[in-house]
Every structure is written in structure tokens, then in C-alpha cells.
Amino acid sequence: MEKVRLSVVIPAYNEEKRIGKTLGEISDYLKKQEYQSEILVVDDGSKDRTAQVVKELQRKIENLRLLEYEDRKNRGKGFATRYGMLQAKGKFRLLSDADHSTPISEIEKFWPEFEQGFDIVLGSREIKGAVLDPPQGPWRRFVGEGFKIYRKLILGMWEIQDTQCGFKCFRDEVVEKIFPKCKINRFAFDPEILILAKKAGYKIKEVPIYWRNDPHSKVKFKHIFNMAFDILKIKWNLLTKKYEL
């Protein structure tokens, strides 16, 4: 049996209105590819019909899997991402947001980087060549830039400009070694993954992507403060050697 080349992991919380369109677009793209693929939706304790919508689509999309927790609790995007990544079977495992703000076709920019020997490829909105459609407003840009500087001052990784873009791809060995060590369950899980991967010696590459700016994004300004606190927790975990690599 041919090994799955690409797993697309989509954490979803109350996404009944958007998940159908997203899965349709991703499936249409993957059907045209010559490699084996799978799509995993992790229902992060949704209160709406997210799970039911995915179940209905499984009749049409044969490589679609729905993952649910036994207790149906909301645990956070970081937890959902780990849960899905560790159950995926692909040689390459792509994190993609439920709103499909970065089209799945942007993965084509990643393959040459993996061929060059990189272990993690990050979609970036912050480097030359990135297209934001439409551009973010001045206040959101200000907050984002402030968080980036804060993250760099506390954790380092000065060479990475955009840790928060929800379009990242990992080799399977990175997932299997790094993800079980992670502890952050909500929005600041990305820097944690990347700093642990860097410490483990994995090679990380950032590439510019096309990103549709969704005015209905679920990331609120209060999340920025929670993320800032989580950054301090990551730093504390590093200082107290809570991560076993």
C-alpha cells in the first residue's frame, strides 16, 4: 500500500459555517495530485454542528477523517493540533486553518524547501513576497508587530518573522519527536514547537505565502494577552528544564 505523502490537519472549533467550503477546496486540490493524501479535522469540543458537517462530507471525500475527544471538551488549538498531527500518517504533515486563509495550493512552494533538506517549512505573512488580501488594518498590524518583538525578546528565534501563520508543514519525524514534548494548549503553541525543534537541531525555513485576511477571524485582542502569558510559561519551562529533548 502506498504511503501517505501529505496529511492536512485542521483544528476546528465552532466552524460549521466555514468547514464545508474549506474541505471542498482542499479535497478538489488534493484529488488532482499524484501522491496519496489525507485530511484530518480535529473537532476541538465544538458546540455547533462542526462534527456533523464533517461526517456528512465523509460520504463524498473518501480520505477525510474526523477526530473527536471522548469527553468532547474544548482544549485549545495547540492541543487539537498535537492530537491531529500525532494521529496523522503522512510523511509530511501540514497544519491548515479551518478558514482556509492560505489556499492549500501554497504547499507547492514548500516542496522545493523539503528537497533542500529543511525539516519544517513555515508559511509567512511577514517576509518579502507575501501577499495579504486585503492588508491588515493599522491597529492589528501594530498589535502583531508588538507581539513579534515581545516573542523575540523573551524566546529569541530572531530569524523567524511569523510564528503565528496557520500554514506550517513538518516532516513526520519532527512531529513524532517534538509534539509529545509540548505543553501549551492554546494560541502560543506555535513558538513552543519551533523553539523545541530548533533546540533539537531541525532545520526551519520560512517562505512567503498568499493569505486571505478574514475580517471574521476568531483571534481576538484578548488572545494576545493570553499568548503573551504563555510565552512567559514557555520561557519558564525552558529555564527549569521541563522539556525533555
Side-chain angles (χ1 to χ4, degrees):
M1 184 175 178
E2 184 182 353
K3 181 174 172 58
V4 175
R5 176 173 173 82
L6 179 66
S7 297
V8 182
V9 177
I10 305 171
Y13 177 67
N14 292 346
E15 292 288 356
E16 66 175 4
K17 294 180 180 178
R18 302 192 291 190
I19 197 67
K21 182 174 184 290
T22 291
L23 292 174
E25 291 172 348
I26 292 174
S27 177
D28 287 345
Y29 171 82
L30 291 175
K31 283 178 186 175
K32 299 173 185 175
Q33 309 310 311
E34 296 180 354
Y35 52 77
Q36 286 285 105
S37 61
E38 62 175 357
I39 308 168
L40 291 78
V41 176
V42 184
D43 180 29
D44 188 25
S46 297
K47 304 294 191 294
D48 66 0
R49 295 186 67 256
T50 297
Q52 287 84 347
V53 171
V54 177
K55 287 175 183 176
E56 290 165 8
L57 285 170
Q58 284 181 307
R59 299 172 195 154
K60 301 177 183 177
I61 304 174
E62 62 180 33
N63 62 340
L64 174 60
R65 297 165 59 194
L66 172 66
L67 303 180
E68 299 178 276
Y69 316 138
E70 286 186 13
D71 58 12
R72 301 291 202 276
K73 288 184 179 178
N74 172 251
R75 297 180 181 278
K77 187 178 179 183
F79 186 95
T81 298
R82 292 198 303 274
Y83 191 84
M85 285 282 179
L86 289 167
Q87 292 201 42
K89 301 173 183 175
K91 181 178 179 182
F92 299 96
R93 302 179 191 180
L94 175 71
L95 168 63
S96 184
D97 281 343
D99 62 4
H100 203 212
S101 53
T102 299
I104 184 66
S105 56
E106 293 291 277
I107 191 69
E108 293 172 17
K109 297 177 180 177
F110 288 16
W111 300 130
E113 307 301 341
F114 284 121
E115 289 170 8
Q116 291 293 318
F118 288 97
D119 302 299
I120 303 170
V121 183
L122 312 175
S124 177
R125 301 160 295 184
E126 300 284 340
I127 62 176
K128 186 177 180 181
V131 176
L132 278 63
D133 180 22
Q136 290 180 312
W139 176 241
R140 190 169 284 272
R141 284 202 308 272
F142 174 78
V143 172
E145 193 65 25
F147 175 78
K148 180 170 69 172
I149 293 169
Y150 171 81
R151 183 261 301 168
K152 289 182 175 183
L153 287 171
I154 302 297
L155 296 179
M157 295 191 299
W158 292 87
E159 72 280 10
I160 298 177
Q161 302 308 312
D162 188 0
T163 59
Q164 302 310 118
C165 180
F167 198 79
K168 301 175 173 68
C169 197
F170 308 84
R171 291 187 189 272
D172 53 0
E173 64 181 86
V174 178
V175 170
E176 287 154 17
K177 179 170 182 177
I178 298 299
F179 280 59
K181 313 293 186 187
C182 294
K183 304 177 185 300
I184 300 299
N185 288 338
R186 298 199 178 270
F187 288 103
F189 71 95
D190 311 74
E192 181 184 45
I193 292 168
L194 297 176
I195 198 164
L196 294 184
K198 182 180 176 183
K199 284 185 170 296
Y202 290 113
K203 295 173 64 180
I204 304 170
K205 177 71 174 185
E206 199 171 6
V207 300
I209 46 86
Y210 172 84
W211 185 71
R212 290 186 293 234
N213 186 9
D214 183 1
H216 304 294
S217 171
K218 294 188 176 183
V219 180
K220 308 300 182 186
F221 290 121
K222 67 178 181 180
H223 295 148
I224 299 294
F225 297 102
N226 293 333
M227 288 165 64
F229 181 69
D230 278 348
I231 292 291
L232 291 176
K233 287 204 292 190
I234 295 168
K235 183 66 173 181
W236 176 251
N237 289 341
L238 289 167
L239 291 172
T240 56
K241 304 190 185 307
K242 294 271 175 49
Y243 299 115
E244 299 174 9
L245 293 176

